[in-house]
Amino acid sequence: MKLLILLSVLAASAIASQKRYDGYQLFQVTPKDAASYDALARLSDSEIYDFWTDLRTIGHSTDIMVPPAYVSIFVDLMHAYSMEYRVKMVNVQTVLDMARDEQVAVPRVGSPRYSVTWDNYYDFNAITAFINEIAAAHPDKVTVSSIGKTFENRDMPLVKISTGGTGKKAIVVDGGIHAREWISPAFVTWLINELVENYAAHPQYVDNVDWYIMPVINPDGYQFTHDTNGDRLWRKNRKPNAGIGGIPCIGTDMNRNFGFHWNEGGSSANGCSDTFHGGAAFSEIESQNVRDAILAVAGQAEMYLTFHSYGQYWLTPWGYTSALPDDYTQLYTLAVSAVNKLTAVYGTQYTIGSSTNVLYVASGGSDDWAKGGAGIPFSYTVEMRDEGTFGFQLPARQILPNNEEVWEGIKVMAESLF
Ligand code: 0X9
Ligand code: ZN
Ligand code: ZN
């Protein structure tokens, strides 16, 4: 009993030392005209407001987290521009605490085979352990390597799944580019497990294509969202930069740092911004490592899938322009088939289209570079659950349903290459 009390005190103090969001509110706001849109665009340049979903176009809502000291000013602004808004979370810390409690409470049923399960979220070390364990258990199909080190000296794992042979097409998959989007590594690790551990149920998905899977391509950022002295809502990597006005800041948005039409809109030159594009294209060691790993298999790769949350979108290039790629019809048609299968599982709705057209301009994305830079024709960004009820804190009990439905879409994607 004493030990239990001690443990819960320790757990409580661990929560207390993460960055806290007491009184922070999540607003859903819809700009109704050019003036209100511009007002929001200016807010997104400041570091005070955290745009959980980036600003879209007039008439489309966006989720903005507002610190307690700015709530009343923010509401005044909404009224001044007659913007439609509603409060989605009255206290972000409460939602973080609930998610954390649920995570701690999940019992480990039986004796799981590996260091991660999919009824809970796991940190970077556990994911690395899992990858090594599944490779050791299936040396005939799984090869693990490191594509290089992060800024904080972590190895960035690459999992190759293959039954050998030559001349096969390949699919490149990554997750965890945005640290706070926890469902992403939770899905990508599940995908590895499904392909390998459940091979016998559907051998065609491994026999017909090779998979190159990087479950966490922003390990430093991801671990920071787990650390007791970290920040659950961190997005970028962890390398310090020059910031703005001589005040240094931390982190580059890796999904603005890729070198295809880099810095052509929808990214920030402010090192303190959550969408900071870095000092140059591929300025970050982590995006360099991903670039080189993809280029090494680009001749074989026909498809690139990068997993994010949230919003439920199945996105095609481009993100730097509203113009569509020549083969857009093919990309779109395949996405429709995938989403149809996905939706059939639990009724979850996804929006399909090019990033710029259904979301917003955002240049320097890995998807644009995979297609335009590495020449991988079928490139998609998948924004998984939910639509902002829980946002980044998708409850652990939704991991499996999310993964099962997305897997149906992935099967369609893979079959298109058979
Ligand atoms: O803005 C992003 O990087 C992605 N959305 S998220 O909310 N997960 O941050 C969308 C990226 C779409 N692709 C490009 N803009 N290239
Ligand atoms: Zn350009
Ligand atoms: Zn993301």
Side-chain angles (χ1 to χ4, degrees):
M1 190 61 201
K2 265 188 195 141
L3 179 64
L4 272 180
I5 295 169
L6 178 65
L7 284 176
S8 60
V9 168
L10 284 173
S13 61
I15 292 165
S17 50
Q18 255 215 347
K19 176 159 184 190
R20 295 190 59 87
Y21 289 92
D22 300 286
Y24 282 63
Q25 301 199 358
L26 186 68
F27 284 81
Q28 185 185 64
V29 186
T30 308
K32 58 164 195 121
D33 53 20
S36 53
Y37 183 90
D38 287 351
L40 290 179
R42 262 193 293 276
L43 292 190
S44 76
D45 280 344
S46 100
E47 302 105 56
I48 294 165
Y49 302 92
D50 183 350
F51 282 59
W52 283 19
T53 62
D54 222 325
L55 191 54
R56 289 176 64 189
T57 41
I58 294 166
H60 286 108
S61 72
T62 168
D63 295 344
I64 306 171
M65 183 174 70
V66 181
Y70 291 82
V71 165
S72 86
I73 269 193
F74 183 82
V75 170
D76 287 349
L77 191 78
M78 296 300 104
H79 290 142
Y81 285 94
S82 332
M83 264 187 267
E84 237 178 78
Y85 71 92
R86 73 185 180 92
V87 177
K88 270 182 158 173
M89 295 181 191
V90 282
N91 187 349
V92 170
Q93 187 61 43
T94 310
V95 179
L96 289 172
D97 290 345
M98 273 163 41
R100 168 62 72 115
D101 290 350
E102 184 182 332
Q103 206 184 336
V104 172
V106 171
R108 282 190 68 116
V109 189
S111 45
R113 186 165 179 162
Y114 298 125
S115 287
V116 306
T117 58
W118 290 277
D119 49 11
N120 216 335
Y121 294 104
Y122 290 88
D123 72 2
F124 183 70
N125 287 338
I127 290 174
T128 301
F130 157 68
I131 286 166
N132 290 321
E133 290 158 5
I134 198 167
H138 301 273
D140 53 328
K141 296 188 190 70
V142 185
T143 324
V144 175
S145 59
S146 167
I147 65 167
K149 300 269 192 187
T150 65
F151 174 72
E152 291 178 349
N153 215 32
R154 293 186 174 85
D155 272 306
M156 297 175 64
L158 167 68
V159 178
K160 179 181 179 183
I161 302 173
S162 171
T163 45
T166 50
K168 287 183 189 174
K169 293 172 180 171
I171 304 179
V172 176
V173 176
D174 67 41
I177 192 171
H178 288 144
R180 61 194 177 185
E181 297 164 10
W182 280 12
I183 188 61
S184 168
F187 171 73
V188 176
T189 50
W190 184 93
L191 174 67
I192 294 169
N193 189 70
E194 184 63 27
L195 291 168
V196 174
E197 209 64 30
N198 258 344
Y199 170 77
H202 40 55
Q204 67 272 31
Y205 297 107
V206 175
D207 290 343
N208 291 315
V209 285
D210 289 345
W211 297 78
Y212 296 93
I213 306 182
M214 295 172 275
V216 189
I217 61 172
N218 176 12
D220 297 349
Y222 183 70
Q223 192 52 39
F224 191 63
T225 63
H226 282 267
D227 284 347
T228 48
N229 55 352
D231 178 355
R232 173 64 185 85
L233 295 175
W234 192 257
R235 167 180 168 98
K236 304 186 284 181
N237 75 356
R238 291 293 300 161
K239 194 182 82 181
N241 62 58
I244 192 140
I247 304 154
C249 271
I250 293 178
T252 294
D253 182 352
M254 284 171 62
N255 213 32
R256 301 290 182 276
N257 191 239
F258 279 70
F260 186 71
H261 297 270
W262 175 81
N263 188 16
E264 289 187 15
S267 62
S268 175
N270 172 358
C272 306
S273 161
D274 250 347
T275 53
F276 177 50
H277 51 46
F282 291 120
S283 55
E284 302 311 292
I285 185 66
E286 296 87 0
S287 16
Q288 292 167 19
N289 291 338
V290 172
R291 173 196 63 195
D292 297 343
I294 293 179
L295 286 177
V297 299
Q300 197 196 346
E302 288 283 313
M303 186 172 282
Y304 171 74
L305 304 170
T306 178
F307 290 91
H308 290 247
S309 72
Y310 57 93
Q312 297 167 199
Y313 297 95
W314 204 290
L315 303 169
T316 82
W318 307 109
Y320 78 93
T321 174
S322 59
L324 298 171
D326 292 340
D327 55 355
Y328 178 72
T329 310
Q330 267 174 284
L331 283 161
Y332 180 80
T333 309
L334 182 60
V336 170
S337 310
V339 166
N340 281 341
K341 285 282 165 65
L342 185 161
T343 303
V345 185
Y346 293 111
T348 310
Q349 306 283 329
Y350 272 58
T351 304
I352 307 162
S354 92
S355 291
T356 303
N357 290 302
V358 306
L359 281 180
Y360 40 74
V361 176
S363 58
S366 67
D367 49 0
D368 280 9
W369 176 82
K371 183 170 178 61
I376 303 175
F378 290 92
S379 175
Y380 295 98
T381 292
V382 183
E383 298 273 0
M384 297 183 290
R385 290 190 188 191
D386 53 13
E387 292 183 294
T389 304
F390 298 101
F392 306 118
Q393 300 94 275
L394 189 73
R397 70 189 118 84
Q398 286 199 43
I399 298 173
L400 272 172
N402 173 81
N403 294 356
E404 284 160 4
E405 69 191 9
V406 176
W407 167 239
E408 291 305 311
I410 300 306
K411 288 197 283 188
V412 174
M413 290 276 141
E415 285 158 12
S416 75
L417 303 183
F418 292 177

